[in-house]
Amino acid sequence: MAKTLIERDRQVIWHPYTQHQGMIPPIPVTRGEGSLLFDEKGNSYIDAISSWWVSIHGHGNPYIARKIYEQSMRLEQVIFTGFTHEPAIQLAERLLDLLPGHPSRIFYSDNGSTAVEVALKMALQYWKNQERTAGSSTTPAAAAGTSDPARRRKILAFSHAYHGDTFGSMSVSGRGLFTAAFGDHLFETIFIDPPTTDNIGELQSRVRDLGEEIACFIYEPLLQGAGGMLIHEAALLDRLLDSIREMGILCIADEVMTGFGRTGKLFAGEWLRNQADMICLSKGLTGGTMALGVTAATDKIFNAFLSDDRTKTFFHGHSFTANPIACAASLASLDLLLSKDYLDRLAAIADRHRSFAARLGSCPRVRNIRTLGVVIAFEIDAGKNDYLNDIGSRITREALAKGIYLRPLGNTVYLMPPYCITDTELDQIYDFLLHMAAKI
């Protein structure tokens, strides 16, 4: 008898973020359509988290699929050192026109973690290149345009941050469960709490005290995802960025999760006065169809690498840099996202989340309800606020039994649906969550 997909999976697959001892068997998905995933028995599941926050247009989008097919028949891959191609150039042109802060260059990589790695390496080498320039000048500080660039070695980040799973991105992520096994191998990062009305003055003072030693500040603008769907106010973040800018610290906005409409604007940076020197993108970039990362940089950053001195080159690259098919998928995703129908749909989902938040507030075991754009999150008051809180697994199991896929972060429950989700599907999710919150 032929083995089932689950049986074959058990013998050969190592799943991410999964303890395989006693694991719940994975669902064998055979196809997707819109907001729905279908298993091998034909059961459907509403993808309430956009398949790890990537499938912003849902599954099986025919427009994106057609553009992928057309590109694959023309050019599927080419080394991006010494070659270029239309999809990469066009995507860069379109992104640079849309991104806040007027970046001037696009550097391609593979995913969100590598987009962050690229930005961190750019920031650190920026100061190293400045140091070399200053070393050849009789006035080092003037040549560098700031204090001694040789002192700019430290990185500033938010506590509870999550920037990825490679070593650099782990180093600037909050220390905890995800990084515990590797703590001795991560480079030192200065962590500060996200700004609140109570701590903003203290944060600004700390930035002023340490500023001349800090190379860059990396932050998830307005919404910290894997850290617990934590939201901070744009006005307070701007006040913090004012002080960071005053100290000449480079800014890296990690918009891997917040980009492409999640916060109610195309990019979270549009809510802010202060813009980043580098912006990291992935996830929704291709509409969830292909792996692709982007690090956008300003002229200030790019020009620090222009030199007759070849040691100032940015020595970084990936085999699949600017993959033509992935770039074509991104261009198709942008076509959809920038249509009026989609912008209206984003606003409608945000309105529905706010209305649901008012209903959810009557549940005694629910607390800290917050919404931002198409994201809604809250905590279930059951045990510790912890990623390993078993209530998350329980909610996932019971949701699957009702034809809904949710993946809480411990006792933090959130919705981040694809933009094509229907009102009926949203109602089904809302009704389940109300029922679940009432019986816990």
Side-chain angles (χ1 to χ4, degrees), residues 9 20 64 146 162 238 265 324 327 368 370 372 389 395:
D9 177 283
H20 281 248
I64 299 178
T146 182
Y162 174 81
D238 258 327
K265 291 184 182 290
C327 290
N368 192 22
R370 61 258 189 210
L372 180 64
N389 190 319
I395 291 171

Side-chain angles (χ1 to χ4, degrees), residues 197-212:
T197 53
D198 293 329
N199 72 7
I200 183 63
E202 178 185 345
L203 295 180
Q204 290 174 310
S205 295
R206 191 171 185 200
V207 167
R208 285 190 286 270
D209 290 342
L210 297 172
E212 294 189 358

Side-chain angles (χ1 to χ4, degrees), residues 57 62 73 109 151 186 227 236 241 272 285 291 298 337 360 383 394 429 440:
H57 306 296
M73 296 299 289
S109 59
R151 297 180 61 196
L186 303 180
L236 292 171
L241 290 172
L272 301 168
L285 174 62
T298 60
L337 188 58
L360 195 59
R394 177 184 167 189
I429 300 169
I440 290 173

Side-chain angles (χ1 to χ4, degrees), residues 150-395:
R151 297 180 61 196
R152 300 279 187 165
R153 294 291 182 265
K154 297 180 180 179
I155 295 176
L156 186 69
F158 280 146
S159 55
H160 306 295
Y162 174 81
H163 295 291
D165 294 331
T166 51
F167 270 86
S169 59
M170 280 196 298
S171 294
V172 295
S173 298
R175 301 298 189 263
L177 179 68
F178 299 167
T179 61
F182 316 104
D184 293 342
H185 304 280
L186 303 180
F187 57 72
E188 181 183 358
T189 297
I190 300 170
F191 291 103
I192 59 175
D193 289 334
T196 67
T197 53
D198 293 329
N199 72 7
I200 183 63
E202 178 185 345
L203 295 180
Q204 290 174 310
S205 295
R206 191 171 185 200
V207 167
R208 285 190 286 270
D209 290 342
L210 297 172
E212 294 189 358
E213 301 174 25
I214 297 174
C216 62
F217 170 50
I218 183 168
Y219 58 101
E220 298 158 276
L222 306 188
L223 177 63
Q224 293 181 279
M229 295 297 162
L230 307 175
I231 296 173
H232 46 272
E233 293 182 18
L236 292 171
L237 179 57
D238 258 327
R239 288 176 60 185
L240 177 61
L241 290 172
D242 283 340
S243 298
I244 286 171
R245 285 295 193 193
E246 288 170 6
M247 299 306 299
I249 299 167
L250 302 177
C251 291
I252 302 170
D254 179 352
E255 292 231 30
V256 169
M257 187 266 280
T258 58
F260 304 103
R262 290 295 185 198
T263 67
K265 291 184 182 290
L266 196 56
F267 300 100
E270 294 179 42
W271 295 101
L272 301 168
R273 286 186 288 102
N274 287 288
Q275 302 303 333
D277 299 286
M278 288 157 279
I279 301 172
C280 304
L281 304 171
S282 188
K283 289 196 182 292
L285 174 62
T286 68
T289 58
M290 302 283 294
L292 186 66
V294 154
T295 306
T298 60
D299 271 336
K300 173 182 175 181
I301 303 299
F302 180 74
N303 289 341
F305 293 79
L306 287 178
S307 176
D308 293 329
D309 180 356
R310 294 185 65 187
T311 67
K312 291 188 176 183
T313 303
F314 186 56
F315 293 106
H316 190 103
H318 300 263
S319 299
F320 290 93
T321 294
N323 174 260
I325 301 175
C327 290
S330 299
L331 288 166
S333 179
L334 278 178
D335 288 343
L336 295 174
L337 188 58
L338 296 177
S339 68
K340 186 178 186 303
D341 288 346
Y342 264 87
L343 299 179
D344 290 345
R345 188 62 190 146
L346 294 182
I349 294 171
D351 287 342
R352 296 217 62 204
H353 280 351
R354 286 190 288 269
S355 297
F356 174 62
R359 297 168 60 198
L360 195 59
S362 63
C363 299
R365 301 296 294 274
V366 170
R367 55 184 172 77
N368 192 22
I369 305 166
R370 61 258 189 210
T371 67
L372 180 64
V374 299
V375 180
I376 182 170
F378 57 92
E379 272 71 55
I380 297 290
D381 192 6
K384 291 169 46 178
N385 289 346
D386 190 282
Y387 183 81
L388 296 180
N389 190 319
D390 287 338
I391 193 65
S393 297
R394 177 184 167 189
I395 291 171

